[in-house]
Amino acid sequence: SSFFVAGDVRANENVELLAMQTLFVREHNRVADRLAAANPSWSDEKLYQEARRVVAAEMQVITYNEFLPALIGSNALRPYQGYRPQVNPGISNEFATAAFRLGHSMLGEDIKFLDNQGNEVHDPVSLRDAFFNAPLLAETGIDPILKYLASDNAQEIDTRVIDDVRNFLFGPPRARGLD
């Protein structure tokens, strides 16, 4: 089975992540094309880095203006005061290995594939069958997955993790995972 190459080594972990990676790669290419048309003298590297900067800024806007307020409340963060180069942009090991795993409790048991009217266009797939299943994305494309992601409710953030994540997430592709 073949996998996709993306900006994160975990991109193929499941088709939902892979659809998001693909969306942002396409956005990068769209921005690069626009910048190339407006700046024909720019090198490929300049175009790549400028498009990368724009997409990173878009992701930050989504994270800080939409995701974090929905997660922790609309007034939990102080308003942005501008770029400060002396601030370390990294995250602590404690956050990366423990707190950031809160997202695992938000995952549902299945993935559906929807058209623009909310109709299913492919049989649902259990999350365990979506791990390292790049051919499924190649078969369905990203649109029905993203439509489902945009319309499905996340699970409650709590100490419970669905069986598919707990029992099948970690391990080599198509294996039964490590609990």
Side-chain angles (χ1 to χ4, degrees):
S1 163
S2 26
F3 295 109
F4 291 90
V5 177
D8 188 311
V9 296
R10 299 163 295 183
N12 290 278
E13 180 184 286
N14 73 63
V15 295
E16 293 170 320
L17 287 175
L18 194 49
M20 294 294 291
Q21 291 281 345
T22 303
L23 175 69
F24 284 110
V25 166
R26 289 178 182 175
E27 173 63 358
H28 176 274
N29 292 344
R30 185 191 70 78
V31 170
D33 287 346
R34 235 180 57 212
L35 290 171
N39 303 283
S41 65
W42 283 8
S43 69
D44 287 347
E45 181 65 17
K46 173 81 171 168
L47 288 168
Y48 174 86
Q49 294 300 335
E50 287 301 310
R52 181 174 182 251
R53 185 181 60 76
V54 169
V55 173
E58 291 173 347
M59 293 173 81
Q60 289 170 355
V61 166
I62 293 166
T63 300
Y64 284 96
N65 293 346
E66 297 180 34
F67 180 69
L68 288 176
L71 187 65
I72 60 178
S74 59
N75 295 316
L77 297 174
R78 288 175 286 166
Y80 180 64
Q81 300 296 315
Y83 178 69
R84 292 181 291 159
Q86 71 280 7
V87 173
N88 179 353
I91 59 174
S92 70
N93 282 335
E94 295 83 2
F95 179 82
T97 58
F100 194 56
R101 299 298 170 233
L102 70 93
H104 287 166
S105 78
M106 297 169 67
L107 297 174
E109 295 176 345
D110 65 358
I111 299 170
K112 294 181 181 171
F113 305 84
L114 306 177
D115 65 15
N116 287 338
Q117 288 71 45
N119 301 308
E120 292 188 20
V121 295
H122 186 282
D123 290 337
V125 173
S126 66
L127 185 58
R128 78 181 69 178
D129 293 330
F131 292 141
F132 299 100
N133 190 351
L136 178 60
L137 181 91
E139 177 186 335
T140 65
I142 69 170
D143 292 351
I145 297 168
L146 294 173
K147 182 64 177 178
Y148 173 66
L149 287 172
S151 59
D152 188 43
N153 290 327
Q155 295 289 314
E156 190 71 34
I157 296 173
D158 53 27
T159 58
R160 289 178 248 151
V161 176
I162 61 169
D163 287 344
D164 285 15
V165 173
R166 186 180 63 246
N167 298 328
F168 297 94
L169 174 59
F170 297 109
R174 311 309 275 161
R176 294 320 237 173
L178 302 170
D179 192 338

